[in-house]
Amino acid sequence: LRGPGGREDPHAWPLLVYLLTCCIYPLASSCAHTFSTMSTRARHICYFFDYAALSMYSLGSALAYSAYIFPAEWVNSTFHRCYVPIAVFNTAISTSLSCYSRFLEVERPRFSKASRMLAFVYPYLFDSIPLFYRFYLCAVKSCTEAAILVHYKHTVLAFLTCFIFASHLPERLAPGHFDYIGHSHQVFHVCGIISTHFQMEAIMMDMAERHNRPLPPSLLPSSLQTLGSMGICVAVSLAVIGLCSMSLRFIPEP
């Protein structure tokens, strides 16, 4: 809010919302790990909020990408106009599918894990379509954009985060030796946070560059559009969490 133009600058709202989601998802994860030991029911509810926060982070990334990193030739295209509404829809699906996956853990653990991964990998891949296109352009034209190198670091770490989560390395190679230090879930969180750090740096570099070639006022995201999208996401996520919490009595005990 203290950046160029201050709080009246609509160009800053997507960054503000993105930064808020960057704070919310590690906080939700920390709370889930802290309080999930209280009871089986508490564990499920804590992770419902964790998954919803990750979905919100996905939407925050999409809002920032839409405002700052879209290729110039894609700006105001049909895909650009549909990008955020689709991201809102993906967020609702992501929260619903990831929360539902907890109901399958006992009877179908592999399908539960696959559903949970799909719930977060798909929104990430969709959000990254304009970024992947910029990677392609840079590979073809040998561009020298400083932000692209930072985006590369973020993307590599994001895929590494997904791989570690799915593979359960290194503890699957030496069961019992990484229960306290070096467990894959610890490495998963560290890689995820470092990936977010690089993503944040790259977005702010793109934002600064976009300020040098400002968009027409009609193409700037309004605070209503930005906050409205996030408000819909929060409302849907809370509704899904409430519904799933009431349905916990149907989950078979492990």
Side-chain angles (χ1 to χ4, degrees):
L1 292 177
R2 294 179 179 176
R7 67 186 66 193
E8 301 302 323
D9 180 10
H11 199 254
W13 280 102
L15 178 67
L16 177 64
V17 171
Y18 164 74
L19 293 177
L20 287 174
T21 62
C22 287
C23 296
I24 289 172
Y25 92 82
L27 174 63
S29 183
S30 299
C31 290
H33 282 291
T34 302
F35 299 111
S36 62
T37 57
M38 294 173 63
S39 69
T40 302
R41 177 180 173 82
R43 176 178 177 80
H44 288 302
I45 293 176
C46 282
Y47 281 102
F48 290 158
F49 278 98
D50 186 21
Y51 302 152
L54 276 170
S55 298
M56 289 177 59
Y57 167 66
S58 172
L59 178 58
S61 300
L63 289 167
Y65 282 12
S66 176
Y68 311 126
I69 73 133
F70 252 70
E73 57 268 35
W74 283 14
V75 172
N76 203 31
S77 64
T78 302
F79 177 64
H80 191 199
R81 291 191 292 270
C82 296
Y83 180 76
V84 171
I86 295 175
V88 172
F89 175 77
N90 289 343
T91 299
I93 296 299
S94 173
T95 303
S96 303
L97 183 58
S98 57
C99 289
Y100 174 70
S101 70
R102 297 199 68 83
F103 291 81
L104 307 172
E105 280 187 322
V106 175
E107 296 179 339
R108 305 176 68 184
R110 289 179 180 271
F111 184 69
S112 171
K113 184 69 175 285
S115 299
R116 197 170 303 159
M117 285 193 60
L118 177 64
F120 297 116
V121 170
Y122 165 69
Y124 171 79
L125 292 177
F126 173 80
D127 291 349
S128 300
I129 289 175
L131 185 58
F132 292 155
Y133 179 70
R134 285 181 62 183
F135 288 163
Y136 166 75
L137 289 181
C138 274
V140 171
K141 300 179 181 180
S142 300
C143 69
T144 57
E145 294 181 56
I148 286 294
L149 178 60
V150 187
H151 278 303
Y152 277 135
K153 294 178 181 178
H154 152 68
T155 303
V156 169
L157 277 162
F159 279 101
L160 179 61
T161 301
C162 180
F163 171 76
I164 291 171
F165 179 79
S167 64
H168 293 287
L169 293 172
E171 69 270 10
R172 73 184 302 168
L173 302 178
H177 288 76
F178 297 96
D179 291 351
Y180 296 103
I181 299 176
H183 191 277
S184 64
H185 203 81
Q186 296 171 345
V187 182
F188 156 78
H189 276 296
V190 171
C191 289
I193 290 295
I194 297 175
S195 174
T196 298
H197 164 73
F198 284 124
Q199 181 189 40
M200 186 186 309
E201 291 291 320
I203 285 174
M204 295 179 76
M205 292 170 70
D206 277 323
M207 180 184 179
E209 195 275 334
R210 185 65 59 90
H211 263 292
N212 297 329
R213 46 182 183 89
L215 296 173
S218 60
L219 297 183
L220 290 174
S222 67
S223 58
L224 179 61
Q225 291 172 324
T226 305
L227 298 179
S229 300
M230 190 56 64
I232 293 172
C233 166
V234 171
V236 170
S237 296
L238 289 176
V240 170
I241 290 171
L243 179 62
C244 290
S245 298
M246 291 188 294
S247 303
L248 285 175
R249 62 181 181 273
F250 300 115
I251 294 186
E253 287 295 325

